[in-house]
């Protein structure tokens, strides 16, 4: 009886951790560590740097320095999420299966096919894949040009059991070692 009682308390403790972890995730977007807040902080830092560079441009007369500033501004603008990035991300979210794996039977298998389906430029879709992976929003593996597996970050949404989410967040599987938007902004 004592052994059963101890086991029950341990199960209850794990169940509580699971529920608390999942409830915290359910409010993740409103939390300072949530997707929306991280996106805002990430993009605000970029815009702040762009604004500073534009101010610097007003007082610089050297053409090489001006060209360097323009190059950095262009590079920084490329780091902001754009419509193509969002279209690709939402394409995968639309086809998400349990444990945040994308159902590969329901999506196109190549970036070109996805670009065609979404009526987007292939080069833009390729850049979106790279950017979304760098920002820890998606992860994927390929075999040649074909996508084998795609996952959506468990930090931005979750489809599956609360216990599995808690466990995955705790372990941070190989696919998602970083939290969305945790990246260093580098100068051009």
């Amino acid at each position: 009886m004592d052994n059963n009682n101890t086991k029950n308390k341990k199960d209850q403790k794990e169940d509580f951790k699971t529920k608390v972890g999942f409830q915290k995730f359910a409010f993740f977007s409103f939390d300072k560590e949530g997707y929306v807040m991280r996106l805002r902080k990430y993009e605000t830092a970029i815009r702040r740097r762009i604004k500073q560079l534009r101010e610097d441009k007003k007082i610089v007369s050297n053409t090489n320095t001006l060209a360097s500033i323009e190059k950095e501004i262009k590079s920084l603008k490329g780091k902001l999420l754009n419509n193509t990035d969002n279209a690709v991300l939402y394409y995968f979210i639309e086809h998400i299966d349990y444990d945040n794996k994308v159902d590969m039977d329901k999506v196109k298998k190549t970036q070109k096919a996805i670009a065609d389906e979404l009526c987007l430029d292939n080069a833009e879709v390729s850049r979106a894949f790279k950017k979304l992976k760098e920002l820890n929003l998606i992860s994927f593996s390929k075999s040649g040009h074909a996508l084998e597996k795609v996952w959506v970050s468990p930090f931005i949404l979750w489809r599956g059991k609360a216990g599995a989410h808690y466990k995955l967040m705790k372990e941070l599987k190989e696919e998602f070692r970083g939290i969305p938007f945790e990246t260093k902004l580098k100068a051009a």
Side-chain angles (χ1 to χ4, degrees):
M1 183 101 180
D2 227 9
N3 192 17
N4 240 358
N5 219 3
T6 306
K7 187 178 177 187
N8 241 350
K9 285 181 182 179
K10 185 179 178 187
D11 288 346
Q12 287 174 347
K13 189 175 180 182
E14 283 301 309
D15 190 43
F16 175 75
K17 284 182 185 176
T18 298
K19 286 179 182 172
V20 169
F22 192 72
Q23 287 169 348
K24 178 161 176 48
F25 176 76
F27 295 105
F28 216 47
S29 288
F30 304 106
D31 187 308
K32 66 180 179 182
E33 296 299 315
Y35 173 76
V36 174
M37 294 302 289
R38 284 182 174 278
L39 172 62
R40 185 189 60 74
K41 284 171 57 178
Y42 169 78
E43 289 198 339
T44 300
I46 292 172
R47 285 191 212 97
R48 186 174 289 122
R49 179 69 181 139
I50 290 171
K51 184 177 180 180
Q52 179 62 49
L53 288 168
R54 286 182 177 149
E55 292 298 316
D56 293 350
K57 227 172 89 171
K58 292 176 184 176
I59 58 173
V60 172
S61 58
N62 182 333
T63 55
N64 289 338
T65 306
L66 285 172
S68 173
I69 290 173
E70 280 300 322
K71 184 178 176 185
E72 186 175 351
I73 288 172
K74 184 178 179 181
S75 171
L76 288 168
K77 283 182 177 180
K79 293 179 184 301
L80 296 169
L81 286 185
N82 61 35
N83 290 340
T84 302
D85 303 328
N86 285 318
V88 171
L89 178 61
Y90 295 139
Y91 176 78
F92 290 126
I93 289 173
E94 180 183 348
H95 296 96
I96 199 169
D97 208 353
Y98 287 99
D99 298 334
N100 280 30
K101 294 175 189 158
V102 173
D103 186 347
M104 295 308 291
D105 293 332
K106 294 182 181 176
V107 297
K108 302 294 182 180
K109 301 292 192 263
T110 65
Q111 290 179 1
K112 182 176 178 357
I114 291 170
D116 291 344
E117 183 173 332
L118 298 175
C119 298
L120 296 167
D121 180 66
N122 191 33
E124 289 178 6
V125 169
S126 182
R127 283 191 292 273
F129 266 79
K130 183 179 177 192
K131 187 188 301 182
L132 293 172
K133 189 169 187 168
E134 285 175 0
L135 294 175
N136 299 310
L137 297 174
I138 65 168
S139 182
F140 58 91
S141 62
K142 293 167 99 176
S143 176
H145 291 291
L147 294 167
E148 285 185 329
K149 296 177 185 174
V150 179
W151 300 269
V152 175
S153 173
F155 286 100
I156 62 173
L157 64 100
W158 180 251
R159 181 163 186 205
K161 295 181 179 178
H165 182 257
Y166 176 76
K167 184 178 178 186
L168 181 67
M169 296 293 280
K170 193 173 174 183
E171 292 173 5
L172 286 178
K173 278 191 175 179
E174 188 71 28
E175 294 85 20
F176 293 101
R177 291 195 176 270
I179 295 173
F181 306 109
E182 247 184 27
T183 182
K184 299 283 184 215
L185 295 178
K186 295 176 236 161

